[in-house]
Structure formats: structure tokens, C-alpha cells
Amino acid sequence: MSGVNQKLERMKELSARLREASRAYYQEDTEIMSNLEYDRLYDELLALEKETGIVMADSPTVTVGYEAQDSLPKERHESPMLSLDKTKSPEDLSAFAGTHEILLSWKLDGLTVVLTYRDGTLVKAVTRGNGEIGEVVTNNARVFQNIPLRISYRGELVIRGEAIITYPEFERINEEISDAEARYKNPRNLCSGSVRQLNNEITAQRHVRFYAFALVRAEGIDFENSRSAQMEWLAAQGFETVEYKKVTASQVPETVAYFAEKIQHYEIPSDGLVAIYEDISYGQSLGRTAKFPRDSIAFKWQDETRETRLVGIEWSPSRTGLINPVALFEPVELEGSTVSRASVHNVSIVKALKLGIGDRITVYKANMIIPQIAENLTGSGTIEIPGFCPACGGPTEIRRNGERETKRNTKDASPEDDAVETLYCTNERCSAKKIKLYTLFVSRDALNIEGLSEATLEKLIGRGFLYTFADIFHLSDHRDEIVEMEGFGEKSCENMTRNIEKARSTTLPRLLYGLGIPNIGVANAKLICRFFDYDLARIRAASVEELSQIEGLGDVIAASVVDYFADAQNQETLERLLTELQIEREPAGGAAQILAGKTFVVTGSVEQFANRNELKAFIEERGGKVTGSITKKTDYLINNDTTSSSAKNRKAKELGIPILSEEDFLALSRSADITEE
């Protein structure tokens, strides 16, 4: 590794450590390094940046301002950005190489962006657009996670690269979107929208990364006619480049096999490879066709297909009412794994493929990852679109959503002019639409059933196993089917059953919170239970006037409780649920309300309690309130490190708020004097 590259690696290491220390300090109120150590590392990073002339966008030494725009200006590229000719044959790649060396690299699946630097500073970023005119996204490029804002080279540098969002980041962002239909279909679409945002703060939150794949111009630098020398030089300037291998024709097959193996677990989206001649002059001498440059070619993965038999269509309802068709077929080996199901996406594609039970179909993995149906060799067309929802039995209807859709799972199909047909459940009370409610019901602060994630619940609801909360306690009736579901097995099914049985014994506040009554959180559920001496019958019969007497509840929340229990179906749901549960008896009146009227903030690690949630529950059960931030209304800060210089400790001292260790707090909570202080 060259000296510059060693310094770049050290700079990345320092930046990561400093960012982690800042996150812990400002977001979690914990210190993972002393101020002296932080300053020492910061100064080292600053010195390395000055020495190399390179400053990365994620460096703690710079602050990139966020800026909103009304629109993205357009700009014409100096020269058209052509598409590449394509092949699926490694033999074609070897023939392309001939007697010359080529660079074989990833063909990343994101958004191509052209960057321009002058005097060592990023001055412009433009998307590929239609190849001739792109959109200016300079503000957004400045917040790409791994891009250098300043480089050591002082001439004009123009490079091309791919902006991408990794699969883990794509999954994280989609998990935060509750509406299944609003989720992004793939990382490429998410990246395109993120790079083209009008507010670059949103771009920054998406953690976009940039990988350089071509150097267009670097005035005054002699690369000795070598593409690989260009890539090495870009790396020395602080850019991350696409992974590449310099190979001869005879080495192409083994190199393609290397990339094919790696893509199975690669976190960066890729839809193939790119080959380009190492000899720059030779490549340029070949010129171009009307559509493609002759110095490079794209390699698309040769899809491994298998013939199998369709054994069924599973209609899977979602929380929005959309019912997705999933093809079930006899298991086949594809790209090193066994597959037996593939999404068919919508009714239009079911019809276009003319699917029928028993049909011979061919299946493949799109980009070697996602199982899809390639074609139907039988085409019986006997699949009937269900008239009733498999989750609730309610009527369904076919809707035309007005969107054009390319049939991703039919290789030779073209987009239809007609709107895409999708199937929906029309029952507003469909259990599948209540997926969030089920997720709340099994959450830690409610029934606390481990192993029932939102994704798992959606599968169980889609199979028609869950119509009401009580059905959770009878999932063992469907054991034979559950163990065969994707992601399940004997062990996971046993664990789920054991956790469900354990959850039968619960408390009234947990149950009340788990019902999902609007506006009723954990704290309010506890307040209501205490006020009515843990008598569920009194709570179900309570009026708005009675509930409004509870301090901190108010008329709106009181009305939510009354409205919930006034609904006959809610009452029936609760009655069925009560037959499955044993409600632990609480002493009348609960714990003495010795902390009533006091507000606490809890920070740092705890020793006397299992975790901070347990300490919070202890305070709330005794009438106290726990908030997340310190204000003038805060009475006490609980922090075992009472001498820490953390942000919350400093704030408490500024406001004259006592800082208590757990021992101090427990001693104080045993004294009735706390209510008098």
C-alpha cells in the first residue's frame, strides 16, 4: 500500500472513531473517549487532511450545510454518455479482449453522476439524464457519504461514477415506511430519488455512496496510457473506485466466476460487469457506433433457469388491502439455493403468463438474487382470481391503478398500454389491514411475545391464521403448515409456541396498551389502571367524565377509551381474548404514589434495575413522570456517573437540577419527603 493510501486509510479510521464518539456523546449521553483523546485524534485528522490535501464529505472537520432548491437545473454534457453493448456470454468477453488486457469491473446498479473538481474543490455534479442532458445535483453530491470535498490535485478533474444505496441501507429505509405500497421496489429507484432531492438533508439521511468508474479528464497528468493507472490515481485522491480486475482473454472465465460468487453476498447493487480495454489509446482508436462505444462492453449475468411445475398461487394480503399473488412450485436448485416460490406481482401478470395449476414453468433469479417466473410452457390460464380475501373472507375487487408496468418476471413480455390490474380486499376491518395493531399487541410493552415480528405476522395473516388477537394463542393448530413456511422450521415454530404460552400470563396495563386504543400509550394505560384499582369492568364502563378526572388524560384521550369500548366488535374481541389470558392481580391502588408530580430524566447505564425501561416503569408506577430531555420542569436527573461532563449532566447543573445516582434515587423514593421538596 502506498504512503498516500496508508494515510487515507488512517483518515477514514479517525473519522469513523470521531463520528462514533460524537454520536455517543450527543445522542446517547455517554462518553466512549475522553475530551483529551477526542482532541488528539481530531488534531491528527486535521494534520493528515492538510498534508494530503484531501477532505472527505463525512469528515468531522467539515460541516456541510443543508440547502433546499426549488428545482434542479439542467445541463448538457460535454460529450454524450452512450449506453454499452451487452452480452451474457463469458466467451464473448474473451473474444472482446482478444490479445489485449481488459479491466473487468462491477456494473453498479444506481444512478450515474459526473463530478467536476477545480482547484481541488468539488464544483459540479450532474446526473447522466438521457445521456446528453442531465440534472445538476451539486448540493446533493456534497453530502454523499464517501465523496472527497477537497482533493490534492489542483487542475480540472472530470470523472464518472455510480451513486448507490447499499442493500442494508435500502432495507433500513423500507422498514421505516409502514405502507407496503409506498416502499421502494429496489435500491436503484431509491437512490435515483435520493440523489435528485430538492433538499439535500434528505439525501444525507439516505447514506448515498459514490464509486468512480471512469476518468474523463485530468489535465497535466500522464497515466502512461493505462486505465488501471487512472483508477489507482483516483484512489490516491480519496475516491472509492469500483472493484476491478486486470485480465487477459484466458483469465476471463475464472474472473467472471469470482464476481458471480461474490454477488451472492455483495451489499452493493450490481446488475453485471463492464469490460474496457486497459490500453487507452487502442480503445479510443476503435471509435464508436451510432449507439455504443467500441472500447467497452457490458456483461449481464446469464440467468440460470430451471423447469418445474406450478402447484398453487398463494394470495397474500397486505396492510393496505392489496392482495399479492405468489407462485408456489415444486422446489428447484437455482444459483446455489433451493427455491419454491416467486412473487407474480399483480393480476395483470397472472393473466399474461396464463398460469394454471399443474402448468410447466421455467424459473430464474433476477440478477442472481430474486426468484421470478421466466415463462409458462403450458399456458392453461385456469387460475381463478379469488372473490374473497384469504385473511378475512371479505369481498375483493380488481382495481386498475393507472400505472404502466414492465413485466419484470416475463423475459419476452412488453409493457401493456392498459393499466395494471391489482386485487384488493374491500373489507375495512380486514385483519391484514391491522398488521400494525397486531405488531403493537405482541410488542415488548404489551403482551411481549418474542419472535412475532411484523414480517412474520404478515405471513401468518396472509395464510388466514389470524382473524383476531385470540387466534395468536391457537397458532399451534397450524403447526404443520407453519413449519413449511419460508423462514420457519421445527425449532423456530417451537420457540414461537413457547413464547406465546409464556405471554398468557400478563398484567392489566400491558393488556390495555396492547389493545391499540387510540392515544393510549404505556404511561396512560398504567394511569387508567391505577385510577380504577385495576378493575377492567370499571374501565370498560367508564364515562368521559370519569376518565377526564385522571391527571394528564384530558377529554380527547378519555373519549378515545369510551369510543373503543362502545364498539361491539371491540368488546367481542376483548371477550375472546380474556378467555386465553390470566391477568395477574395488582394490589388495589397499586404502589404508593410517592413520586406523584415529579418529573425525572434517566441517562447512562443502570445497575439496580435490569434496564432503563424497568427504572422508568418503577417511577411511573409510583406516580412519577419520565421524559427524554431536561427542561426547567425537570425535578431530577438520574445518572450513576454523577460527575460526568455529559451534555445532560451539564444541562442539569446549569438549571440547578439535582443529579442522583440509583442509590440516591432509591433512598429518596423510600421517603415520603420527596413529595415535599
Side-chain angles (χ1 to χ4, degrees):
M1 184 181 290
S2 70
V4 172
N5 285 338
Q6 285 180 329
K7 290 171 183 174
L8 281 170
E9 288 303 312
R10 178 58 177 165
M11 289 162 61
K12 291 176 183 177
E13 178 189 347
L14 289 168
S15 291
R17 290 180 62 186
L18 290 167
R19 287 196 306 273
E20 177 63 17
S22 293
R23 182 189 63 78
Y25 185 85
Y26 290 108
Q27 296 179 26
E28 299 177 358
D29 294 313
T30 59
E31 295 183 40
I32 61 175
M33 68 172 63
S34 67
N35 290 339
L36 184 65
E37 176 71 359
Y38 185 94
D39 291 342
R40 185 184 68 78
L41 297 180
Y42 185 94
D43 290 342
E44 182 185 352
L45 176 60
L46 206 58
L48 283 170
E49 289 176 342
K50 185 176 181 180
E51 181 182 346
T52 61
I54 298 169
V55 180
M56 305 301 293
D58 62 355
S59 171
T61 67
V62 297
T63 301
V64 180
Y66 296 131
E67 184 175 337
Q69 296 176 279
D70 295 328
S71 63
L72 295 175
K74 304 287 196 299
E75 182 170 304
R76 184 175 294 276
H77 295 294
E78 291 183 17
S79 58
M81 298 179 64
L82 302 178
S83 299
L84 299 180
D85 200 3
K86 298 176 179 63
T87 180
K88 289 191 173 184
S89 165
E91 291 75 19
D92 286 349
L93 284 184
S94 294
F96 172 82
T99 60
H100 297 271
E101 285 186 316
I102 60 173
L103 298 190
L104 204 54
S105 65
W106 291 115
K107 183 177 182 293
L108 299 185
D109 195 15
L111 184 70
T112 299
V113 177
V114 182
L115 303 181
T116 301
Y117 288 77
R118 295 191 188 103
D119 297 323
T121 302
L122 175 66
V123 295
K124 185 168 58 178
V126 184
T127 66
R128 181 185 186 279
N130 63 7
E132 294 188 359
I133 298 174
E135 293 175 306
V136 179
V137 291
T138 311
N139 288 332
N140 296 345
R142 289 194 175 105
V143 297
F144 290 175
Q145 267 206 312
N146 62 333
I147 205 169
L149 298 178
R150 293 196 291 276
I151 59 177
S152 59
Y153 173 67
R154 290 296 181 263
E156 181 171 81
L157 171 66
V158 181
I159 63 173
R160 293 174 182 169
E162 199 81 354
I164 63 93
I165 288 177
T166 64
Y167 282 113
E169 187 64 21
F170 167 72
E171 291 164 3
R172 179 190 69 79
I173 292 170
N174 261 352
E175 285 174 0
E176 294 174 356
I177 302 173
S178 59
D179 185 349
E181 289 183 89
R183 291 176 178 170
Y184 295 93
K185 302 301 182 187
N186 52 58
R188 181 188 65 254
N189 290 353
L190 172 58
C191 183
S192 177
S194 300
V195 172
R196 299 171 61 249
Q197 285 288 330
L198 296 178
N199 185 343
N200 68 346
E201 184 173 4
I202 298 174
T203 308
Q205 293 167 356
R206 304 282 176 80
H207 297 168
V208 178
R209 302 185 70 83
F210 176 87
Y211 291 88
F213 61 68
L215 189 152
V216 178
R217 183 169 62 254
E219 299 168 344
I221 303 295
D222 181 9
F223 296 106
E224 300 179 347
N225 198 37
S226 167
R227 292 280 182 194
S228 57
Q230 289 182 335
M231 300 294 274
E232 291 167 7
W233 183 83
L234 286 174
Q237 293 296 314
F239 294 97
E240 288 194 58
T241 62
V242 294
E243 182 183 4
Y244 64 90
K245 302 282 186 182
K246 185 164 66 172
V247 299
T248 61
S250 63
Q251 295 170 318
V252 164
E254 65 184 76
T255 307
V256 169
Y258 162 80
F259 282 110
E261 171 64 25
K262 187 166 184 176
I263 199 175
Q264 305 294 332
H265 312 287
Y266 200 40
E267 290 189 348
I268 300 174
S270 167
D271 57 358
L273 305 173
V274 173
I276 189 167
Y277 291 111
E278 159 72 356
D279 186 321
I280 298 173
S281 297
Y282 174 73
Q284 291 176 342
S285 72
L286 300 176
R288 46 176 278 193
T289 69
K291 294 177 64 178
F292 310 118
R294 289 195 173 99
D295 69 343
S296 51
I297 187 172
F299 171 82
K300 306 288 282 189
W301 301 113
Q302 181 70 51
D303 298 316
E304 181 184 358
T305 59
R306 290 285 184 271
E307 184 176 324
T308 183
R309 187 176 70 89
L310 186 72
V311 297
I313 293 288
E314 177 183 289
W315 296 89
S316 180
S318 71
R319 66 182 68 89
T320 62
L322 175 67
I323 303 176
N324 295 296
V326 178
L328 309 178
F329 46 82
E330 293 176 347
V332 291
E333 287 289 321
L334 275 178
E335 311 290 356
S337 64
T338 302
V339 296
S340 59
R341 54 197 288 124
S343 174
V344 193
H345 302 297
N346 55 54
V347 171
S348 293
I349 295 177
V350 171
K351 292 179 178 179
L353 285 169
K354 298 180 180 178
L355 294 176
I357 305 302
D359 285 359
R360 301 303 301 178
I361 60 175
T362 59
V363 294
Y364 72 108
K365 281 187 177 181
N367 288 336
M368 303 176 72
I369 298 172
I370 305 169
Q372 304 278 268
I373 297 177
E375 57 183 327
N376 185 355
L377 304 176
T378 306
S380 67
T382 58
I383 289 292
E384 294 185 5
I385 310 303
F388 298 94
C389 173
C392 70
T396 63
E397 67 179 17
I398 293 177
R399 299 178 186 172
R400 304 170 73 81
N401 64 14
E403 295 177 358
R404 293 170 61 90
E405 172 149 328
T406 302
K407 297 197 176 89
R408 294 181 293 268
N409 60 344
T410 55
K411 293 185 176 181
D412 55 356
S414 59
E416 291 183 337
D417 291 331
D418 293 335
V420 174
E421 293 184 333
T422 49
L423 187 67
Y424 278 83
C425 173
T426 61
N427 177 14
E428 289 302 320
R429 289 186 174 271
C430 176
S431 55
K433 295 180 181 180
K434 296 181 179 180
I435 182 66
K436 286 294 183 186
L437 194 58
Y438 280 88
T439 304
L440 171 67
F441 181 76
V442 303
S443 66
R444 183 177 60 185
D445 291 326
L447 272 288
N448 192 25
I449 305 177
E450 293 182 15
L452 285 181
S453 66
E454 183 173 330
T456 299
L457 287 166
E458 194 159 9
K459 290 177 184 177
L460 296 171
I461 290 170
R463 290 293 186 98
F465 297 158
L466 299 178
Y467 289 92
T468 185
F469 291 144
D471 293 333
I472 289 176
F473 297 94
H474 294 277
L475 283 173
S476 57
D477 296 346
H478 308 284
R479 181 187 177 283
D480 291 344
E481 293 174 81
I482 291 174
V483 294
E484 296 299 324
M485 288 170 57
E486 186 177 0
F488 277 88
E490 295 284 350
K491 188 67 174 177
S492 58
C493 190
E494 288 176 12
N495 290 338
M496 181 185 72
T497 302
R498 184 170 59 251
N499 291 334
I500 289 172
E501 289 304 309
K502 183 180 176 182
R504 285 184 183 274
S505 178
T506 190
T507 65
L508 189 57
R510 284 180 175 275
L511 172 60
L512 193 62
Y513 168 65
L515 293 175
I517 302 171
N519 302 313
I520 298 302
V522 177
N524 285 339
K526 292 176 179 177
L527 287 173
I528 293 169
C529 290
R530 281 199 297 268
F531 184 83
F532 290 101
D533 291 334
Y534 297 88
D535 187 334
L536 180 57
R538 290 179 59 194
I539 295 172
R540 293 169 73 171
S543 65
V544 171
E545 290 72 20
E546 287 178 288
L547 287 159
S548 297
Q549 295 175 27
I550 302 174
E551 185 179 353
L553 225 58
D555 292 343
V556 173
I557 298 177
S560 293
V561 177
V562 172
D563 290 345
Y564 180 87
F565 289 116
D567 186 289
Q569 188 163 339
N570 289 338
Q571 290 280 14
E572 182 182 346
T573 295
L574 180 56
E575 285 297 333
R576 290 187 58 186
L577 182 57
L578 289 173
T579 65
E580 308 292 342
L581 300 175
Q582 294 88 44
I583 307 298
E584 297 173 5
R585 292 293 178 184
E586 300 269 359
Q593 302 296 284
I594 58 172
L595 306 183
K598 298 299 178 182
T599 300
F600 296 81
V601 172
V602 179
T603 189
S605 59
V606 294
E607 298 166 1
Q608 307 294 326
F609 295 84
N611 49 51
R612 287 198 286 190
N613 277 340
E614 189 175 291
L615 173 53
K616 179 182 176 182
F618 180 91
I619 293 170
E620 290 175 344
E621 285 168 6
R622 287 154 181 78
K625 181 179 179 182
V626 180
T627 62
S629 57
I630 293 176
T631 68
K632 292 180 179 179
K633 295 182 179 180
T634 304
D635 293 294
Y636 298 96
L637 170 64
I638 301 175
N639 185 355
N640 279 320
D641 190 354
T642 57
T643 61
S644 165
S645 59
S646 69
K648 284 183 177 172
N649 273 30
R650 293 199 305 269
K651 184 73 172 178
K653 290 174 182 176
E654 289 173 9
L655 297 176
I657 295 167
I659 303 173
L660 308 178
S661 66
E662 275 179 277
E663 289 186 0
D664 296 334
F665 164 72
L666 289 172
L668 196 58
S669 66
R670 297 186 192 106
S671 169
D673 292 341
I674 188 170
T675 58
E676 304 300 327
E677 291 189 12

